[in-house]
Structure formats: C-alpha cells, structure tokens
Amino acid sequence: MTDTPSPLPGYVPTKLVDPFEIFVGPVFETGAPGSRHFIFRVDERHVNMRGVLHGGMLMTYADLTLGAAVWDATDYAPSVTLNMHTQFLKPAHAGDIVEVTPQLTRKTRALVFMRGDFTVAGRTIFTAESIWKLLGRD
Amino acid sequence: MVEHDPRIPEGAVNVSVGGFNRFVGPLFRLPETPGDEIRRFAFIVTDKHMNSAGTVHGGMLMTFVDISMSQTARAVSGAKSCSTVSLNCDFVGPGRLGDVIEARVKVTRRARTMMFMSAELVSGDHTLLVATGLWKVPVES
C-alpha cells in the first residue's frame, strides 16, 4: 500500500515503522511536527461485515496518530501507551476520510496526556483520550 | 489460516470470518466451560501484529478485546450485531511474538438496550490489558 496516493491534495504519507501500522495503513499528514493533521481513507479492509468502519481500526489509527503527536511533543523520546479511552459517536463507511489533529492536554516529566476528535466531513465520529509513559522517566 | 496450531484447543471456532476481523485474524472463540460465566477468545501473535519495539501493537490488543467483547454482547443478547459505545483500556504489560493471547470477557450488567462488560487479555500468567466497555444492543422490532 506504500504507493497509494493521498486521498486529498497537499498531504504526504506518514512514515510508519510498526508492522501492524504498515499492515493497516497508509496514513497521510500535513503540517509541522507539533501541529500535524492526519487523514486516512477507509477501504474494504477496514470495515466489518455490515460495511461499517471497525472500532479496532479506529483505535489503531488513534494509537498511531496520538502516538506520533506524543513523539513530536517529547523530542522523540521513547514512550508506551498506558491507557486509552475511546467513544464511538457515529458510524463511518468505506470511502470516508477520517481526519484528526491530535491535541496535547498536558505533559509532565514522565507522562503525556493526548486526545483527539476524529471527524468525517466535519462531523465528529469518534474521540480518544490517551495517557503515555515516557520510558526511563520517573 | 495455514494450518491448525495445537495451542488452540479442539472445539474452538474461528470468529474472524469477514472484514477487518478476518484481515487481522484468525481469532477464535474457545469452548465454554459449563457453569463458567467467563467467555474466552484467543489468537496467536504473528509478525503482522507487532510494533517496531518487538511487542504486540496496542492497536491489535484493542482490536482483539473489542472483537471479543462484541462477540460476547451478541452471544448474550441474541442480537445480530451490537455496537461499541465506549471502551477504556489499560495497557498493563507487553505481548510477544508467538504468544497465545487469551481474552476473558465478563458481563457486568445486561440492560434492555445496553450491555456493560469487563475483559482481560492474558498470555500465560501475564496480564497484558484490562478493559471496561459499554455496548449498545439493538431492540429487535
């Protein structure tokens, strides 16, 4: 899927290194580190048998994009997800483009709190709040 | 699935028959133990499930617990499909390549249109993830 063009002009592929993210990707982005805006187009791999975007894909996309924002916010410090809370507001379908600009809620020495409102055509379909632990920080 | 792994017990049913479930699977529902209120599911970690740090990707763990809890909501309610409304996951420990990861799902409360559940993902003696979640159960017309 690495040669897939961006579904919208002005976006570049997000560099994915985790095998599971490469498997479910691609994801595209625009903007500078710290204020990156991400998009992905839902395709037939991502939906359930009713044609609705699978919650697992949305949560994976949330982990990927919020994680990238944590990376930006910490000078690329290694970190792990401690907790993720998600709410599923509306269904999405194949062909939809899911967008998010992750928002930093708070950063301490050891923890980062990051959230995102995920939209399709301007309407919020899903929210995620996550807590990340910076490895080696007390 | 290429061939049967003996660590998946006889009587297990492949529940990843289509869509995203099949894409990330195979995932199995394990046979029920009479009198046990816990419902169990399992999958074997392969290369595609990993992150670059050599552990199972958090997205895959959340996907697996979501599918296990959704399957439980359907089985308990009898509804054809149930929708995840809210899911909260704590990442307690890492999963590794080749692990058999088991989901243990418990229904906390079943109301007419909603179901409250909790679940745990374990590998051997290690807890990987604990989750609580809320599902919408459609009322059959």
Side-chain angles (χ1 to χ4, degrees), chain A residues 3-22:
Chain A
D3 297 330
T4 308
S6 170
L8 294 175
Y11 288 77
V12 296
T14 296
K15 189 174 186 302
L16 304 178
V17 291
D18 290 350
F20 191 64
E21 296 179 359
I22 293 166

PDB file of all heavy atoms in Angstrom, chain A residues 3-22:
ATOM      1  N   ASP A   3       2.440   2.750  -2.284  1.00  0.00           N
ATOM      2  CA  ASP A   3       2.338   3.602  -3.462  1.00  0.00           C
ATOM      3  C   ASP A   3       0.957   4.253  -3.579  1.00  0.00           C
ATOM      4  O   ASP A   3       0.686   4.949  -4.552  1.00  0.00           O
ATOM      5  CB  ASP A   3       2.625   2.788  -4.731  1.00  0.00           C
ATOM      6  CG  ASP A   3       4.049   2.258  -4.720  1.00  0.00           C
ATOM      7  OD1 ASP A   3       4.912   2.928  -4.118  1.00  0.00           O
ATOM      8  OD2 ASP A   3       4.296   1.183  -5.290  1.00  0.00           O
ATOM      9  N   THR A   4       0.088   4.017  -2.606  1.00  0.00           N
ATOM     10  CA  THR A   4      -1.246   4.603  -2.645  1.00  0.00           C
ATOM     11  C   THR A   4      -1.148   6.126  -2.611  1.00  0.00           C
ATOM     12  O   THR A   4      -0.492   6.675  -1.729  1.00  0.00           O
ATOM     13  CB  THR A   4      -2.067   4.124  -1.433  1.00  0.00           C
ATOM     14  OG1 THR A   4      -2.014   2.719  -1.382  1.00  0.00           O
ATOM     15  CG2 THR A   4      -3.517   4.586  -1.529  1.00  0.00           C
ATOM     16  N   PRO A   5      -1.786   6.828  -3.546  1.00  0.00           N
ATOM     17  CA  PRO A   5      -1.737   8.288  -3.487  1.00  0.00           C
ATOM     18  C   PRO A   5      -2.605   8.809  -2.352  1.00  0.00           C
ATOM     19  O   PRO A   5      -3.547   8.147  -1.919  1.00  0.00           O
ATOM     20  CB  PRO A   5      -2.307   8.708  -4.845  1.00  0.00           C
ATOM     21  CG  PRO A   5      -3.148   7.559  -5.287  1.00  0.00           C
ATOM     22  CD  PRO A   5      -2.551   6.316  -4.684  1.00  0.00           C
ATOM     23  N   SER A   6      -2.304  10.009  -1.883  1.00  0.00           N
ATOM     24  CA  SER A   6      -3.119  10.632  -0.842  1.00  0.00           C
ATOM     25  C   SER A   6      -4.532  10.855  -1.361  1.00  0.00           C
ATOM     26  O   SER A   6      -4.722  11.278  -2.505  1.00  0.00           O
ATOM     27  CB  SER A   6      -2.501  11.967  -0.429  1.00  0.00           C
ATOM     28  OG  SER A   6      -3.405  12.667   0.407  1.00  0.00           O
ATOM     29  N   PRO A   7      -5.539  10.605  -0.536  1.00  0.00           N
ATOM     30  CA  PRO A   7      -6.917  10.839  -0.976  1.00  0.00           C
ATOM     31  C   PRO A   7      -7.248  12.325  -1.121  1.00  0.00           C
ATOM     32  O   PRO A   7      -8.250  12.660  -1.749  1.00  0.00           O
ATOM     33  CB  PRO A   7      -7.755  10.190   0.123  1.00  0.00           C
ATOM     34  CG  PRO A   7      -6.871  10.084   1.299  1.00  0.00           C
ATOM     35  CD  PRO A   7      -5.461   9.985   0.790  1.00  0.00           C
ATOM     36  N   LEU A   8      -6.428  13.199  -0.535  1.00  0.00           N
ATOM     37  CA  LEU A   8      -6.635  14.652  -0.663  1.00  0.00           C
ATOM     38  C   LEU A   8      -5.315  15.289  -1.060  1.00  0.00           C
ATOM     39  O   LEU A   8      -4.250  14.807  -0.674  1.00  0.00           O
ATOM     40  CB  LEU A   8      -7.098  15.242   0.684  1.00  0.00           C
ATOM     41  CG  LEU A   8      -8.461  14.823   1.226  1.00  0.00           C
ATOM     42  CD1 LEU A   8      -8.677  15.420   2.618  1.00  0.00           C
ATOM     43  CD2 LEU A   8      -9.578  15.242   0.286  1.00  0.00           C
ATOM     44  N   PRO A   9      -5.358  16.397  -1.844  1.00  0.00           N
ATOM     45  CA  PRO A   9      -4.113  17.056  -2.227  1.00  0.00           C
ATOM     46  C   PRO A   9      -3.452  17.736  -1.032  1.00  0.00           C
ATOM     47  O   PRO A   9      -4.134  18.143  -0.088  1.00  0.00           O
ATOM     48  CB  PRO A   9      -4.575  18.082  -3.273  1.00  0.00           C
ATOM     49  CG  PRO A   9      -6.020  18.304  -2.998  1.00  0.00           C
ATOM     50  CD  PRO A   9      -6.549  17.025  -2.420  1.00  0.00           C
ATOM     51  N   GLY A  10      -2.132  17.837  -1.083  1.00  0.00           N
ATOM     52  CA  GLY A  10      -1.409  18.577  -0.050  1.00  0.00           C
ATOM     53  C   GLY A  10      -0.959  17.735   1.129  1.00  0.00           C
ATOM     54  O   GLY A  10      -0.447  18.284   2.109  1.00  0.00           O
ATOM     55  N   TYR A  11      -1.159  16.428   1.050  1.00  0.00           N
ATOM     56  CA  TYR A  11      -0.762  15.543   2.141  1.00  0.00           C
ATOM     57  C   TYR A  11       0.388  14.629   1.695  1.00  0.00           C
ATOM     58  O   TYR A  11       0.464  14.261   0.522  1.00  0.00           O
ATOM     59  CB  TYR A  11      -1.932  14.664   2.591  1.00  0.00           C
ATOM     60  CG  TYR A  11      -3.002  15.413   3.355  1.00  0.00           C
ATOM     61  CD1 TYR A  11      -3.918  16.218   2.688  1.00  0.00           C
ATOM     62  CD2 TYR A  11      -3.079  15.329   4.743  1.00  0.00           C
ATOM     63  CE1 TYR A  11      -4.895  16.917   3.371  1.00  0.00           C
ATOM     64  CE2 TYR A  11      -4.052  16.025   5.444  1.00  0.00           C
ATOM     65  CZ  TYR A  11      -4.960  16.809   4.753  1.00  0.00           C
ATOM     66  OH  TYR A  11      -5.916  17.495   5.440  1.00  0.00           O
ATOM     67  N   VAL A  12       1.234  14.270   2.645  1.00  0.00           N
ATOM     68  CA  VAL A  12       2.317  13.319   2.363  1.00  0.00           C
ATOM     69  C   VAL A  12       2.101  12.073   3.225  1.00  0.00           C
ATOM     70  O   VAL A  12       1.462  12.152   4.277  1.00  0.00           O
ATOM     71  CB  VAL A  12       3.701  13.933   2.674  1.00  0.00           C
ATOM     72  CG1 VAL A  12       3.972  15.123   1.762  1.00  0.00           C
ATOM     73  CG2 VAL A  12       3.827  14.321   4.134  1.00  0.00           C
ATOM     74  N   PRO A  13       2.623  10.916   2.776  1.00  0.00           N
ATOM     75  CA  PRO A  13       2.460   9.711   3.591  1.00  0.00           C
ATOM     76  C   PRO A  13       3.154   9.864   4.945  1.00  0.00           C
ATOM     77  O   PRO A  13       4.279  10.371   5.016  1.00  0.00           O
ATOM     78  CB  PRO A  13       3.140   8.610   2.757  1.00  0.00           C
ATOM     79  CG  PRO A  13       3.231   9.156   1.376  1.00  0.00           C
ATOM     80  CD  PRO A  13       3.337  10.647   1.521  1.00  0.00           C
ATOM     81  N   THR A  14       2.474   9.448   6.008  1.00  0.00           N
ATOM     82  CA  THR A  14       3.101   9.401   7.327  1.00  0.00           C
ATOM     83  C   THR A  14       4.071   8.228   7.344  1.00  0.00           C
ATOM     84  O   THR A  14       3.737   7.136   6.891  1.00  0.00           O
ATOM     85  CB  THR A  14       2.024   9.219   8.412  1.00  0.00           C
ATOM     86  OG1 THR A  14       1.183  10.369   8.409  1.00  0.00           O
ATOM     87  CG2 THR A  14       2.630   9.048   9.797  1.00  0.00           C
ATOM     88  N   LYS A  15       5.272   8.477   7.864  1.00  0.00           N
ATOM     89  CA  LYS A  15       6.270   7.412   7.919  1.00  0.00           C
ATOM     90  C   LYS A  15       5.859   6.407   9.003  1.00  0.00           C
ATOM     91  O   LYS A  15       5.802   6.774  10.187  1.00  0.00           O
ATOM     92  CB  LYS A  15       7.640   8.013   8.248  1.00  0.00           C
ATOM     93  CG  LYS A  15       8.785   7.027   8.126  1.00  0.00           C
ATOM     94  CD  LYS A  15      10.126   7.752   8.337  1.00  0.00           C
ATOM     95  CE  LYS A  15      11.308   6.840   8.087  1.00  0.00           C
ATOM     96  NZ  LYS A  15      11.340   5.632   8.907  1.00  0.00           N
ATOM     97  N   LEU A  16       5.547   5.210   8.589  1.00  0.00           N
ATOM     98  CA  LEU A  16       5.119   4.168   9.524  1.00  0.00           C
ATOM     99  C   LEU A  16       6.238   3.142   9.659  1.00  0.00           C
ATOM    100  O   LEU A  16       6.808   2.712   8.653  1.00  0.00           O
ATOM    101  CB  LEU A  16       3.844   3.478   9.015  1.00  0.00           C
ATOM    102  CG  LEU A  16       2.640   4.388   8.733  1.00  0.00           C
ATOM    103  CD1 LEU A  16       1.468   3.575   8.195  1.00  0.00           C
ATOM    104  CD2 LEU A  16       2.228   5.144   9.992  1.00  0.00           C
ATOM    105  N   VAL A  17       6.549   2.758  10.896  1.00  0.00           N
ATOM    106  CA  VAL A  17       7.599   1.753  11.106  1.00  0.00           C
ATOM    107  C   VAL A  17       7.064   0.479  11.754  1.00  0.00           C
ATOM    108  O   VAL A  17       7.631  -0.592  11.580  1.00  0.00           O
ATOM    109  CB  VAL A  17       8.776   2.302  11.943  1.00  0.00           C
ATOM    110  CG1 VAL A  17       9.553   3.338  11.153  1.00  0.00           C
ATOM    111  CG2 VAL A  17       8.304   2.893  13.249  1.00  0.00           C
ATOM    112  N   ASP A  18       5.964   0.581  12.494  1.00  0.00           N
ATOM    113  CA  ASP A  18       5.428  -0.611  13.155  1.00  0.00           C
ATOM    114  C   ASP A  18       4.757  -1.512  12.123  1.00  0.00           C
ATOM    115  O   ASP A  18       3.912  -1.045  11.348  1.00  0.00           O
ATOM    116  CB  ASP A  18       4.393  -0.220  14.212  1.00  0.00           C
ATOM    117  CG  ASP A  18       5.026   0.472  15.411  1.00  0.00           C
ATOM    118  OD1 ASP A  18       6.265   0.473  15.507  1.00  0.00           O
ATOM    119  OD2 ASP A  18       4.277   1.003  16.249  1.00  0.00           O
ATOM    120  N   PRO A  19       5.105  -2.811  12.110  1.00  0.00           N
ATOM    121  CA  PRO A  19       4.488  -3.722  11.134  1.00  0.00           C
ATOM    122  C   PRO A  19       2.962  -3.656  11.119  1.00  0.00           C
ATOM    123  O   PRO A  19       2.355  -3.664  10.046  1.00  0.00           O
ATOM    124  CB  PRO A  19       4.992  -5.095  11.575  1.00  0.00           C
ATOM    125  CG  PRO A  19       6.324  -4.810  12.187  1.00  0.00           C
ATOM    126  CD  PRO A  19       6.164  -3.476  12.879  1.00  0.00           C
ATOM    127  N   PHE A  20       2.317  -3.549  12.291  1.00  0.00           N
ATOM    128  CA  PHE A  20       0.848  -3.542  12.318  1.00  0.00           C
ATOM    129  C   PHE A  20       0.295  -2.262  11.677  1.00  0.00           C
ATOM    130  O   PHE A  20      -0.758  -2.283  11.039  1.00  0.00           O
ATOM    131  CB  PHE A  20       0.328  -3.702  13.753  1.00  0.00           C
ATOM    132  CG  PHE A  20      -1.160  -3.961  13.826  1.00  0.00           C
ATOM    133  CD1 PHE A  20      -1.707  -5.120  13.286  1.00  0.00           C
ATOM    134  CD2 PHE A  20      -2.021  -3.050  14.427  1.00  0.00           C
ATOM    135  CE1 PHE A  20      -3.084  -5.363  13.335  1.00  0.00           C
ATOM    136  CE2 PHE A  20      -3.390  -3.289  14.490  1.00  0.00           C
ATOM    137  CZ  PHE A  20      -3.917  -4.452  13.937  1.00  0.00           C
ATOM    138  N   GLU A  21       1.008  -1.156  11.831  1.00  0.00           N
ATOM    139  CA  GLU A  21       0.559   0.104  11.231  1.00  0.00           C
ATOM    140  C   GLU A  21       0.745   0.082   9.711  1.00  0.00           C
ATOM    141  O   GLU A  21      -0.113   0.561   8.967  1.00  0.00           O
ATOM    142  CB  GLU A  21       1.307   1.285  11.872  1.00  0.00           C
ATOM    143  CG  GLU A  21       0.977   1.420  13.352  1.00  0.00           C
ATOM    144  CD  GLU A  21       1.701   2.557  14.052  1.00  0.00           C
ATOM    145  OE1 GLU A  21       2.490   3.268  13.403  1.00  0.00           O
ATOM    146  OE2 GLU A  21       1.480   2.726  15.266  1.00  0.00           O
ATOM    147  N   ILE A  22       1.859  -0.504   9.260  1.00  0.00           N
ATOM    148  CA  ILE A  22       2.074  -0.653   7.817  1.00  0.00           C
ATOM    149  C   ILE A  22       0.991  -1.563   7.236  1.00  0.00           C
ATOM    150  O   ILE A  22       0.452  -1.306   6.157  1.00  0.00           O
ATOM    151  CB  ILE A  22       3.486  -1.212   7.552  1.00  0.00           C
ATOM    152  CG1 ILE A  22       4.541  -0.178   7.971  1.00  0.00           C
ATOM    153  CG2 ILE A  22       3.659  -1.606   6.082  1.00  0.00           C
ATOM    154  CD1 ILE A  22       5.956  -0.721   8.074  1.00  0.00           C
TER     155      ILE A  22
END
